[in-house]
Structures are given as structure tokens and as C-alpha cells.
Amino acid sequence: QVQLVESGGGLVQPGGSLRLSCAASGFTFSTVAMNWYRQAIGKERELVATISNGGSTWYPDSVKGRFTISRDNAKNTVYLQMNSLKPDDTAVYYCNTWLKGRTFWGQGTQVTVSS
């Protein structure tokens, strides 16, 4: 079955960096786009990065220039490098993909940006 397992979250000071990882299994990873979403308390879940199967990327303005999504098809893993973190980046971060009309989510990893 499809599994997405995130790791790498934690507490970081403003201006710091974190790298999130999402290990995927149960499907042909190299053929699908992968996404990172986040959800802060009291807010809707929002898309923060997308990478296509060909490596094209997209970011919303809120994280552009600070976040970088990448993938390693040999390891079935997608990453989210987050730099210059701000308190507003505090959220649970989720890995996501779509397969045959269904959406799949990981369990999420907490990122807290605070001094």
C-alpha cells in the first residue's frame, strides 16, 4: 500500500534552516509529482512546494526563494529544504501525492520556529 513517512521537523530559531524528508513506498515514485503542504493551527492546509516527475518545481510567493523541493528517485524520497525560517512558517508539514484520482498524505511533521 501507499506510504508516505515524513521526518526532519523540530524546533528552530528564526532565520534558521531545516530539511524535511518524505520516504515513499507502494508506488512507482519516479513517475509521479510530489507535494509538500503545511497547516498551522487555525488555518487551512496550504501547498508550499511541488515537484513534477520531470523535476519542475513551483512555490507560492510566501516561501519562494527560501524553500527548495527536490527528489531522489533512487531513494524514493522527496525533500524540502527550508531556509530563513520565520515564526509564520510554524506548522505541521505534510507530504502528498495523487495516484489514480486519489490523494495520499503522510502523518505530518511539526516545524516550530521560535526564539
Side-chain angles (χ1 to χ4, degrees), residues 1-3 7-8 20 26 28 33 44 46 49 52 57 59 68 78-80 82-83 90 98 102 106-107 110-111:
Q1 70 277 22
V2 174
Q3 283 195 314
S7 61
L20 307 182
T28 307
E44 293 186 356
E46 65 169 336
S52 72
T57 58
Y59 310 91
T68 302
V78 61
Y79 304 98
L80 185 67
M82 305 185 294
N83 300 327
T90 295
W98 286 79
R102 289 185 58 191
Q107 82 286 353
Q110 176 71 47
V111 172

Side-chain angles (χ1 to χ4, degrees), residues 2-3 5 15 18-20 28 44 47-48 67 69-70 73 75 82 95 99 103 107-108 111-112:
V2 174
Q3 283 195 314
V5 180
L18 279 176
R19 189 176 82 153
L20 307 182
T28 307
E44 293 186 356
L47 178 64
V48 295
F67 289 12
I69 189 171
S70 62
N73 290 337
K75 295 183 178 180
M82 305 185 294
C95 183
L99 296 166
T103 187
Q107 82 286 353
V111 172
T112 302

